[in-house]
Amino acid sequence: MEEFLIVDGYNIIGAWPELSKLKDTDLEGARDKLIHMLAEYQSYSGMKVYLVFDAYMVPGLGKKYVQSKLNVLYTKEKETADERIERLVTNLMGRRKQIYVATSDMIEQHVIFGKGALRLPAGELLIKIKQNRKEVRERIHPETTTKRNPFEGKLSSEIKAQFERWRRGE
C-alpha cells in the first residue's frame, strides 16, 4: 500500500514549540527546519510527503518545488492551504493508497476525514518524527552489549582454554 502524508506547514510550525518560538524571529528558518525534519522523516518512513504553505495574500500562481526529495507547495493567490490540501487529497485518493493529513485545525481534520484521508494531529506527527530519529540513531550507533569481555565470542575454545590455564597459573 502506498502511503502519503500531506502537511499543513504553517499550522505545524505554530503547533510545535521549537518551531513556534523560531518563527517569531525567523519564519524562513522555521520553514527550512520543518522541511529538513520532514525530508528525514520521508526518507526513513517511506511515505511520500507533501508540505503545503499558505500564500493566500501573495499574488501569483502558486509554486511547487522539490527540496531534499520533499514536495513543497505554495498556494496560489486567494487559495488557502486548506483548499490546496483538500484538492491534493482528492487527486491522490485511489485504491491501495493511504493518505494522512497532518494539521491541528479541527475543521480541516473533519473535511479531509470525510474525503477518506486519515487525520494526524501536529503533536502525533512530532512524536512519530522523534521516534524515527531515535530508531535511526540506534541503527547507526547500536548499543554495545553488556558482556564483560567483548573478545569472548571471537576466540576459539582452545585459545579460551589456554587463557584460563594461564589465569590459574598452570
Side-chain angles (χ1 to χ4, degrees):
M1 179 170 288
E2 204 173 1
E3 292 185 309
F4 297 91
L5 173 64
I6 303 170
V7 179
D8 185 343
Y10 290 128
N11 185 278
I12 297 296
I13 287 173
W16 290 357
E18 180 185 353
L19 296 180
S20 182
K21 186 176 178 184
L22 181 59
K23 85 168 168 120
D24 293 337
T25 56
D26 184 12
L27 182 59
E28 189 174 336
R31 275 195 309 256
D32 289 342
K33 188 164 184 117
L34 179 60
I35 289 169
H36 178 74
M37 292 169 80
L38 291 174
E40 280 182 352
Y41 180 73
Q42 175 178 258
S43 66
Y44 187 75
S45 71
M47 294 178 107
K48 182 82 169 162
V49 179
Y50 292 87
L51 177 58
V52 179
F53 287 111
D54 196 336
Y56 185 79
M57 301 298 277
V58 180
L61 300 173
K63 191 163 84 167
K64 176 182 179 181
Y65 66 94
V66 177
Q67 182 175 334
S68 303
K69 297 184 181 179
L70 179 76
N71 291 295
V72 181
L73 310 164
Y74 285 90
T75 64
K76 58 187 175 189
E77 185 178 6
K78 297 190 182 191
E79 179 185 40
T80 65
D82 292 350
E83 291 168 336
R84 182 68 174 107
I85 289 168
E86 291 163 22
R87 199 161 26 99
L88 195 54
V89 166
T90 302
N91 292 341
L92 290 173
M93 195 55 70
R95 292 179 56 102
R96 307 209 29 88
K97 291 183 179 180
Q98 187 61 65
I99 302 170
Y100 299 88
V101 176
T103 181
S104 288
D105 180 341
M106 285 302 289
I107 295 171
E108 182 62 9
Q109 286 181 1
H110 289 295
V111 171
I112 58 96
F113 190 66
K115 289 183 175 283
L118 297 175
R119 49 189 188 244
L120 184 65
E124 275 187 49
L125 178 59
L126 183 58
I127 289 168
K128 284 178 176 280
I129 286 174
K130 286 180 178 180
Q131 285 174 337
N132 274 4
R133 281 184 170 176
K134 183 180 176 191
E135 289 174 22
V136 167
R137 274 194 306 274
E138 287 172 356
R139 280 189 166 188
I140 293 172
H141 304 292
E143 295 298 319
T144 57
T145 58
T146 56
K147 287 184 180 178
R148 281 184 58 200
N149 186 349
F151 294 110
E152 184 176 22
K154 296 181 170 120
L155 300 175
S156 69
S157 57
E158 298 93 34
I159 301 284
K160 286 180 191 176
Q162 180 64 43
F163 281 143
E164 184 61 25
R165 286 193 298 277
W166 286 347
R167 188 182 72 79
R168 293 176 188 236
E170 297 175 7

